């Protein structure tokens, strides 16, 4: 699987496009890993410097603090996304953001 990235107007936000459906039930923003019961989102939020994750229909947008460089965390996010989909899961969020798909 090839996860593409796309820059956004905010230099501290980067879109990750897995080429698969991310959210099957609307858009969600999560800023605290305690607020969600989803391994992928929790793992991304555990990366040093990550401040939030926004899930859209076909993308995962990750926000970071200003003093961390994207090159330090981009490959980690891509690896986590690849592992998630390789495990056979079809969506990051299917019904309720607080459920694991």
């Amino acid at each position: 699987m090839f996860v593409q990235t796309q820059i956004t107007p905010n230099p501290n936000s980067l879109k990750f496009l897995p080429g698969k459906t991310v959210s099957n039930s609307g858009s969600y923003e999560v800023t605290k890993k305690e607020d969600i019961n989803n391994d992928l989102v929790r793992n991304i939020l555990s990366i040093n410097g990550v401040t939030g994750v926004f899930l859209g229909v076909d993308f995962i947008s990750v926000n970071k603090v200003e003093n961390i460089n994207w090159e330090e965390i981009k490959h980690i996010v891509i690896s986590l996304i690849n592992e998630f989909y390789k495990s056979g899961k079809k969506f990051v969020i299917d019904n309720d953001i607080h459920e694991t798909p």
Side-chain angles (χ1 to χ4, degrees), residues 2 6 18 22 26 35 38 41 45 53 56 60 68 84 87 101:
F2 181 70
Q6 182 178 34
V22 172
D35 292 346
N38 179 283
V41 177
L45 286 168
V53 175
I60 301 167
I68 298 282
F84 181 84
S87 73

Side-chain angles (χ1 to χ4, degrees), residues 22-96:
V22 172
S23 175
N24 209 17
S25 61
S27 300
Y28 294 99
E29 183 172 22
V30 184
T31 56
K32 296 178 184 168
K33 62 183 176 182
E34 306 83 39
D35 292 346
I36 188 165
N37 190 24
N38 179 283
D39 289 340
L40 176 60
V41 177
R42 289 176 72 106
N43 287 339
I44 292 172
L45 286 168
S46 296
I47 299 169
N48 185 38
V50 171
T51 60
V53 175
F54 183 83
L55 304 164
V57 173
D58 63 350
F59 68 90
I60 301 167
S61 183
V62 176
N63 298 316
K64 67 168 186 67
V65 295
E66 194 169 334
N67 64 337
I68 298 282
N69 188 315
W70 276 117
E71 295 309 311
E72 295 176 40
I73 60 175
K74 184 166 66 170
H75 67 282
I76 300 169
V77 176
I78 290 172
S79 292
L80 290 170
I81 294 169
N82 279 327
E83 287 174 27
F84 181 84
Y85 283 105
K86 281 181 186 173
S87 73
K89 296 181 178 144
K90 299 200 182 293
F91 311 105
V92 178
I93 300 297
D94 192 9
N95 293 320
D96 184 330

Side-chain angles (χ1 to χ4, degrees), residues 3-15:
V3 178
Q4 295 182 316
T5 59
Q6 182 178 34
I7 59 170
T8 69
N10 177 351
N12 293 315
S13 180
L14 190 63
K15 269 187 176 179

